[in-house]
Amino acid sequence: MLDTDFFRRWMTAAAASVDREADHLTDLDSAIGDADHGSNLQRGFAAVKAVLEKDAPATPGALLALAGRQLISTVGGASGPLYGTLLRRTGKALGDEAEVTQEQFAQAFAAGVAAVGQLGGAQAGDKTMLDALLPAAEALALSFDGAADAARAGAEATVPMRARKGRASYLGERSIGHQDPGATSAALLVDALAETADGEGA
Amino acid sequence: MSGERQVGIVLVSHSGPVAESVAELARGLAAGGVTAPVAPAGGLPNGGLGTSAELIGRAAASVDRGAGVAVLVDLGSAVLTVKSMLAEGDELPENTRLVDAPFVEGAVAAVVTASAGGDLAAVEAAASEAYGYRKT
């Protein structure tokens, strides 16, 4: 079973990972975006960590909803509302259970990913975070490590894609050959999840 | 159309100066008399480029007169931030609407219509119709 503390540790691990990889994310974003993805996510996840240290949501659902709201209000770029929606919808789908099964979480996460697609109007293959999130959501019901591998492979698969959403889409053909920063950070988020699960021998 | 309670207009841009200038332009072109309440919400609170949910929330509250609030946005995170705030339900005044319109022309049309006492639907329609204004 996954309790509230599991999700708190996931967010802390995600914040550490984003911190570690911020320069890399910004470098990827300089190639096809506006060079702020790393610093934006750093600011957002630092704020998530801070609010979770101050408040103590009682359930996994409440914790993820709070984290999502915090991302929307602090990131400042498109990744804020997108990741914010991912966490908030996942949290809402979990309801107010004190603990959830991995299967419940996998279903809720899939609902969160679907909400991201709806908000941004993107689909698989558009060279966005969905290219990492969709395969991760599919693999999550079976294994956390499998989800992390699927997300990483999904992010790497964005290299030859042509961007169809966001600022990168203005580059047309020139967006080909670069790994998508959003898919890369999405893979980090899922990797932090697997790390958290491994930490407790799940 | 009664001009008692005017629709509020919020202009969301990645840039503070752009949002402020477009607000000033729209007020200026609405001309004469009392214009509808318009509030810019541009950039980040520290002055950088980006979209701030905090500034948007504050701007919307400041123009809400009970007749609804029309929000016009430039692109990317401005669109997504307003959409996700609307989905949340309690972050924007009741009867707040994201209007699909070109930023500058739509802002002028919205402010003129709201100043004339148009309701939220009329303001939205006028702003969206600005897409149809061809220049060549």
Side-chain angles (χ1 to χ4, degrees), chain A:
Chain A
M1 293 295 275
L2 309 171
D3 60 9
T4 309
D5 197 54
F6 172 85
F7 292 96
R8 187 191 322 278
R9 279 182 287 122
W10 175 27
M11 290 298 107
T12 307
S17 172
V18 163
D19 245 350
R20 222 168 27 234
E21 297 292 325
D23 288 347
H24 177 54
L25 293 174
T26 292
D27 282 350
L28 292 173
D29 197 28
S30 318
I32 56 173
D34 50 2
D36 61 3
H37 192 51
S39 45
N40 278 348
L41 282 187
Q42 221 173 357
R43 178 170 55 233
F45 275 96
V48 167
K49 218 176 115 183
V51 79
L52 293 180
E53 277 162 13
K54 193 160 61 75
D55 289 6
T59 63
L63 184 139
L64 291 180
L66 176 65
R69 264 201 305 282
Q70 194 70 0
L71 287 180
I72 292 170
S73 57
T74 56
V75 167
S79 56
L82 291 167
Y83 282 126
T85 293
L86 173 67
L87 296 182
R88 209 170 57 186
R89 283 298 176 86
T90 303
K92 276 187 182 165
L94 288 176
D96 41 21
E97 313 261 359
E99 292 184 325
V100 298
T101 63
Q102 184 173 339
E103 200 187 329
Q104 280 173 313
F105 173 56
Q107 277 178 12
F109 187 77
V113 173
V116 170
Q118 205 178 14
L119 176 65
Q123 294 176 340
D126 284 349
K127 199 180 183 98
T128 72
M129 59 173 70
L130 284 179
D131 290 309
L133 292 175
L134 288 167
E138 210 166 301
L140 192 57
L142 296 173
S143 115
F144 285 109
D145 286 336
D149 291 343
R152 202 175 310 118
E156 284 163 8
T158 62
V159 173
M161 291 176 185
R162 176 182 175 153
R164 291 203 185 83
K165 286 285 160 186
R167 187 194 173 284
S169 65
Y170 301 152
L171 295 176
E173 297 280 333
R174 281 180 294 140
S175 65
I176 294 171
H178 301 279
Q179 185 164 322
D180 180 62
T184 308
S185 59
L188 291 179
L189 193 66
V190 183
D191 197 61
L193 178 65
E195 198 185 296
T196 307
D198 288 345
E200 61 180 37

Side-chain angles (χ1 to χ4, degrees), chain A residues 36 43 69 72-73 75-78 81-82 85 88-89 92 118-120 170, chain B residues 44 46 49-54 75-77 80-81 83-85 87-88 91:
Chain A
D36 61 3
R43 178 170 55 233
R69 264 201 305 282
I72 292 170
S73 57
V75 167
L82 291 167
T85 293
R88 209 170 57 186
R89 283 298 176 86
K92 276 187 182 165
Q118 205 178 14
L119 176 65
Y170 301 152
Chain B
L44 299 176
N46 67 9
L49 297 179
T51 309
S52 161
E54 186 193 330
L75 70 166
S77 60
L80 296 179
T81 300
K83 275 190 182 173
S84 62
M85 289 174 83
E88 176 73 356
E91 293 184 354

Side-chain angles (χ1 to χ4, degrees), chain B residues 6-123:
Chain B
Q6 288 171 317
V7 172
I9 315 288
V10 174
L11 302 175
V12 184
S13 168
H14 276 59
S15 149
V18 168
E20 281 157 28
S21 302
V22 173
E24 196 188 320
L25 173 68
R27 274 191 216 107
L29 293 183
V34 184
T35 61
V38 187
L44 299 176
N46 67 9
L49 297 179
T51 309
S52 161
E54 186 193 330
L55 294 182
I56 295 168
R58 217 184 293 157
S62 79
V63 298
D64 180 23
R65 303 284 183 273
V69 175
V71 183
L72 282 85
V73 298
D74 58 5
L75 70 166
S77 60
V79 184
L80 296 179
T81 300
V82 172
K83 275 190 182 173
S84 62
M85 289 174 83
L86 287 170
E88 176 73 356
D90 58 358
E91 293 184 354
L92 292 169
E94 212 178 316
N95 220 358
T96 297
R97 217 176 276 178
L98 171 62
V99 170
D100 183 17
F103 194 61
V104 176
E105 293 87 339
V108 173
V111 173
V112 169
T113 308
S115 300
D119 62 11
L120 185 57
V123 169

